Amino acid sequence: MKKLTGLQWFNLILFGLMGQIAWAVENMYFNTFLYNSVYGGASQTTVDGAINVMDAISRMVAFSAVAAVVTTFIMGILSDRVNTRKWFISIGYILWGIVTAAFSLISRDNVAALFHLSDEIKILNATVTAVIVMDCIMTFMGSTSNDSAFNAWVTDTSSSENRATVESVLSLLPVFAMVIVMAMGGLVGSVGYPVFFASLGGFVSLCGIVGIFTIKDNREGKAVSERQSFIKEFIYGFRPSVIKKNRGLYLSLLAIFIFNTAYQVFFPYIFIYLQHKLDFTMDKLIAGLTPITIVIGLIVVIAAVALIISMGKLMDKFGKDKFIYISVAFFVIGLVITGFQKTLGGFAIGAAVTLIGYGLLMILLGASIRDFTPEDKTGMFQGIRMIFVVMLPMIIGPIIGKEICRISEITYTNEYGVVQAAPGSVMFFAAAVVGIFILLPVAFLKKQGLKK
């Protein structure tokens, strides 16, 4: 089995983890930033007259997804044309951090002063728009460096002999990122959103500076396709002949589209749900920690890491097709279990089962996409990948979650006396129903045969 060098593993983990941390903050705390900071403190009359908060979150997720896809198409093609990934990654991360830090400047007061507004409804709507626009700019930087260049670099660096192992490590990074971001979330309560965003942005930019000295392009020996016009390369992946020729790739993309759509049904609203349905906050979690719970937590984390990496190695050794159905089962059953829970302990059990399925599907489907991607068009296909992995799931999933939650709407009165809607557990059942449909494309993929 081909092995990665120590420096390659260092860059894979560093840029993979920092990228996931930045995306996790966008997906988790930009939503709560809108919910708690931008809308928080506004009068009931202002909230009633402005853009609905759930609609604002849904729009932000959707616009960000579109920005991510368009960016990845353009920058993926450009990185193929110049035949390098290093500078797209390094410079991109530096700028990504700067834009993330700029969120520390967004507030209703600052927006009102900048645009000379006095009407409270107009101020709130303008602030919401500013957050969405800045989120799209941040997404442009993140998609250039991470979704396009870094993902192409990983495909260039790995091979079909070790990709499940590589993906097993990559699949753990979002989970670690979520834990780190949740821990960092304690800063929000103590120092506020401005310091939180500024600190994160600084770390992301520092990562880009490190990359200038550590990243090496791995295009040597890779096939290079004959260059066409930019427009022809942009639409290349949509051609029926290309889809037919790369059937395994598109079946893998269809499977991961359904998987990520199911995930996005609940994920944008998960922390709002935890806060207002299960009364979970980071302050309470930290206050409840004891030496015993910390030790138990560390043992669980180490065991989970060992399990996921072992599964990746087993997939590389015995073939990915043998793990398809059990991965889907863990994911769907875990969601159902989670939806029935009324306590934090029960929620943790359901979430653990869901995360096992999530991790296995991330390994299996991520490795399959890399295996079936033509090596001479790695950057070009990153845009197609983003349509299925990010844009469509992030548009469709939150809309499903929002509409399902409206069926059994839950409301609460915040500390300012404003009545707001909150998501309910029904979103987990909806996600499970969507997740079952993963079986359709993976059945055809299994029949065709996955690469070892």
Side-chain angles (χ1 to χ4, degrees):
M1 180 187 298
K2 180 183 176 183
K3 294 184 178 180
L4 272 64
T5 66
L7 188 59
Q8 288 172 333
W9 276 116
F10 170 80
N11 285 317
L12 187 145
I13 293 172
L14 174 65
F15 287 91
L17 179 60
M18 189 54 68
Q20 289 299 329
I21 289 173
W23 286 135
V25 167
E26 180 193 18
N27 293 332
M28 292 156 58
Y29 282 100
F30 283 9
N31 297 343
T32 59
F33 174 61
L34 267 178
Y35 200 86
N36 296 326
S37 181
V38 175
Y39 282 84
S43 68
Q44 184 70 62
T45 302
T46 300
V47 170
D48 288 342
I51 300 170
N52 178 273
V53 62
M54 297 293 279
D55 286 334
I57 292 173
S58 180
R59 290 180 194 180
M60 182 170 67
V61 172
F63 281 121
S64 174
V66 173
V69 170
V70 174
T71 300
T72 306
F73 262 110
I74 295 172
M75 294 305 179
I77 292 171
L78 284 176
S79 70
D80 272 352
R81 282 175 171 260
V82 299
N83 204 34
T84 184
R85 318 291 186 199
K86 173 178 179 174
W87 295 107
F88 286 87
I89 297 172
S90 300
I91 302 301
Y93 268 74
I94 292 171
L95 296 177
W96 193 7
I98 292 172
V99 176
T100 300
F103 271 84
S104 63
L105 303 175
I106 300 178
S107 68
R108 292 203 307 273
D109 289 342
N110 288 344
V111 169
L114 180 64
F115 295 103
H116 306 291
L117 299 174
S118 57
D119 182 84
E120 290 298 323
I121 294 176
K122 290 182 179 179
I123 291 171
L124 181 54
N125 284 338
T127 307
V128 170
T129 302
V131 172
I132 293 174
V133 170
M134 283 296 293
D135 184 35
C136 289
I137 295 173
M138 194 204 89
T139 298
F140 173 81
M141 300 304 177
S143 290
T144 295
S145 56
N146 186 270
D147 293 328
S148 173
F150 175 72
N151 267 296
W153 179 85
V154 172
T155 303
D156 293 340
T157 303
S158 60
S159 70
S160 60
E161 297 176 336
N162 59 24
R163 282 195 180 120
T165 302
V166 169
E167 288 296 328
S168 69
V169 174
L170 291 176
S171 72
L172 289 168
L173 300 184
V175 179
F176 286 135
M178 187 183 302
V179 172
I180 291 170
V181 169
M182 286 175 64
M184 290 172 61
L187 289 173
V188 175
S190 58
V191 300
Y193 282 104
V195 174
F196 177 66
F197 290 138
S199 300
L200 174 71
F203 282 115
V204 174
S205 293
L206 179 61
C207 182
I209 294 172
V210 171
I212 294 175
F213 303 98
T214 61
I215 295 176
K216 296 184 183 299
D217 281 309
N218 296 283
R219 296 295 299 162
E220 295 84 356
K222 300 287 184 181
V224 178
S225 64
E226 183 179 345
R227 296 266 66 91
Q228 306 177 59
S229 70
F230 195 92
I231 296 299
K232 286 184 177 180
E233 291 188 345
F234 195 92
I235 65 173
Y236 178 83
F238 298 101
R239 296 175 183 171
S241 59
V242 174
I243 296 173
K244 184 178 180 180
K245 180 180 178 181
N246 297 278
R247 187 169 179 267
L249 172 60
Y250 285 86
L251 282 171
S252 301
L253 289 169
L254 181 59
I256 206 166
F257 154 66
I258 299 172
F259 165 54
N260 279 344
T261 298
Y263 180 69
Q264 289 294 332
V265 167
F266 67 90
F267 188 73
Y269 314 110
I270 188 69
F271 278 87
I272 300 171
Y273 172 83
L274 287 171
Q275 181 179 353
H276 299 291
K277 179 70 174 179
L278 299 180
D279 195 29
F280 170 86
T281 63
M282 283 304 302
D283 291 339
K284 290 183 179 180
L285 176 64
I286 294 171
L289 290 177
T290 65
I292 294 177
T293 57
I294 292 173
V295 171
I296 292 174
L298 288 174
I299 292 173
V300 171
V301 169
I302 293 171
V305 170
L307 174 64
I308 293 295
I309 293 178
S310 296
M311 294 303 290
K313 290 182 178 295
L314 288 173
M315 287 183 193
D316 279 330
K317 185 174 181 179
F318 296 107
K320 306 175 190 70
D321 58 336
K322 295 179 176 62
F323 296 85
I324 288 178
Y325 296 128
I326 190 172
S327 302
V328 177
F330 267 105
F331 183 64
V332 172
I333 293 172
L335 287 170
V336 173
I337 294 173
T338 302
F340 279 114
Q341 303 311 308
K342 305 298 182 183
T343 65
L344 275 174
F347 179 89
I349 293 172
V353 177
T354 304
L355 282 172
I356 291 173
Y358 172 86
L360 292 174
L361 285 169
M362 285 284 287
I363 297 169
L364 194 151
L365 298 176
S368 296
I369 290 171
R370 296 191 197 281
D371 287 344
F372 288 115
T373 299
E375 69 173 27
D376 60 331
K377 298 177 177 65
T378 305
M380 192 186 303
F381 271 102
Q382 295 308 310
I384 296 294
R385 173 185 169 277
M386 284 293 290
I387 289 177
F388 289 90
V389 175
V390 176
M391 187 184 80
L392 292 178
M394 288 181 69
I395 292 174
I396 298 171
I399 291 174
I400 294 174
K402 178 184 69 174
E403 296 302 323
I404 288 294
C405 286
R406 279 179 176 171
I407 295 174
S408 58
E409 186 169 284
I410 299 170
T411 61
Y412 79 100
T413 303
N414 67 16
E415 63 267 34
Y416 303 103
V418 177
V419 178
Q420 290 186 294
S425 59
V426 67
M427 64 185 178
F428 297 110
F429 299 122
V433 171
V434 175
I436 292 173
F437 288 94
I438 301 171
L439 293 170
L440 294 177
V442 297
F444 288 102
L445 197 59
K446 182 177 174 65
K447 184 177 180 180
Q448 171 176 309
L450 295 168
K451 296 180 181 180
K452 282 192 175 183

